[in-house]
Amino acid sequence: GALNQLAADVDSLSEFQMRQFDQKDSRGEALLMQRLRAFVAEDLSEEDYAVWVYTGGSSPLLPAMHAILGLRKLDGISGPLQEHWQMQGRQCMPKSHRNFLENLEHGVSVRAYCLREWRKVPVEGIAALEDAFNNCIESLLKYCSLRQRLVSRMFPDVSRIRRLSAEQEQVIRSGRLALLHMRRVADAHRMHLTKPPVPVPSL
């Protein structure tokens, strides 16, 4: 289905990043980033510039993935990364991209839809839905982890990017669904409510 295709697409992005990591020279990457800085992030600090590169600059990709999957809780992410997603990255974003992102953020996410509709789906469907959604989570985690490795190599002096990435990955992990467990709990609760009372023997 669509979720399996989404996970496959994110895996393709990860594979591209892995090839970049394996083929490129780390010294050349760092030099390239410094030369590009005057054109894309002249007024940013080294750390903010690293965050800019990690998030893809003004690309809506990562915030769009979060919006689609329903990972909107940014409280666990430190200031620089959160600020970039909410403000800096959108300033240079093409209007059509910004509108697309805002529509996603104001719509019903996949996660919210699953949590709303799981009671209407048979057990087999719940299992397939849970697997497909959590596969998207795993694919996004892999992408972010590879992104962190690549950016850390580009900016060897910015150690904080590892912690920022780890915080973001924790937010992503917290979005995993456990629909089958919810179904089992609901069934057990329903059986408890419908179970006839146990007769008490008279003395």
Side-chain angles (χ1 to χ4, degrees), residues 1-195:
L3 285 177
N4 290 326
Q5 183 61 56
L6 179 60
D9 291 341
V10 177
D11 285 339
S12 296
L13 290 173
S14 297
E15 291 172 8
F16 173 78
Q17 285 195 143
M18 181 64 75
R19 289 196 299 270
Q20 291 289 103
F21 190 86
D22 291 338
Q23 296 173 6
K24 298 292 184 180
D25 173 51
S26 60
R27 292 170 297 179
E29 289 170 346
L31 179 61
L32 175 64
M33 288 298 102
Q34 293 310 315
R35 288 182 174 177
L36 285 175
R37 184 171 185 168
F39 300 97
V40 297
E42 184 178 12
D43 299 328
L44 297 181
S45 67
E46 188 77 358
E47 180 180 288
D48 288 339
Y49 184 32
V51 170
W52 189 90
V53 174
Y54 174 82
T55 56
S58 57
S59 168
L61 176 62
L62 274 176
M65 285 292 297
H66 278 64
I68 290 170
L69 295 177
L71 308 173
R72 299 175 183 171
K73 183 181 177 182
L74 301 180
D75 297 342
I77 301 176
S78 289
L81 190 56
Q82 182 179 144
E83 180 183 349
H84 178 90
W85 273 359
Q86 295 178 344
M87 296 294 296
Q88 295 175 3
R90 298 178 193 236
Q91 291 175 358
C92 300
M93 194 179 289
K95 184 178 180 181
S96 58
H97 292 186
R98 189 165 57 248
N99 291 342
F100 171 72
L101 181 57
E102 289 173 356
N103 287 336
L104 287 177
E105 291 174 338
H106 289 93
V108 178
S109 70
V110 175
R111 189 173 192 274
Y113 176 83
C114 292
L115 291 173
R116 187 182 68 191
E117 300 293 326
W118 66 272
R119 292 178 178 84
K120 306 173 185 177
V121 180
V123 173
E124 297 79 6
I126 291 176
L129 189 60
E130 180 179 309
D131 284 344
F133 182 88
N134 288 341
N135 284 340
C136 289
I137 294 291
E138 294 304 319
S139 295
L140 184 57
L141 282 170
K142 180 181 177 182
Y143 173 83
C144 291
S145 177
L146 288 170
R147 188 83 184 160
Q148 178 267 313
R149 289 175 57 197
L150 189 61
V151 174
S152 293
R153 194 167 74 170
M154 294 175 179
F155 299 90
D157 297 328
V158 182
S159 59
R160 195 180 179 197
I161 197 69
R162 294 181 179 85
R163 182 168 66 80
L164 293 176
S165 177
E167 290 170 352
Q168 185 208 351
E169 290 174 27
Q170 183 56 42
V171 170
I172 296 172
R173 287 189 187 91
S174 69
R176 286 192 181 104
L177 289 177
L179 299 178
L180 284 174
H181 174 71
M182 293 168 60
R183 175 63 177 264
R184 286 193 292 269
V185 171
D187 288 347
H189 182 66
R190 185 168 56 251
M191 290 179 63
H192 175 74
L193 291 178
T194 58
K195 188 176 181 180

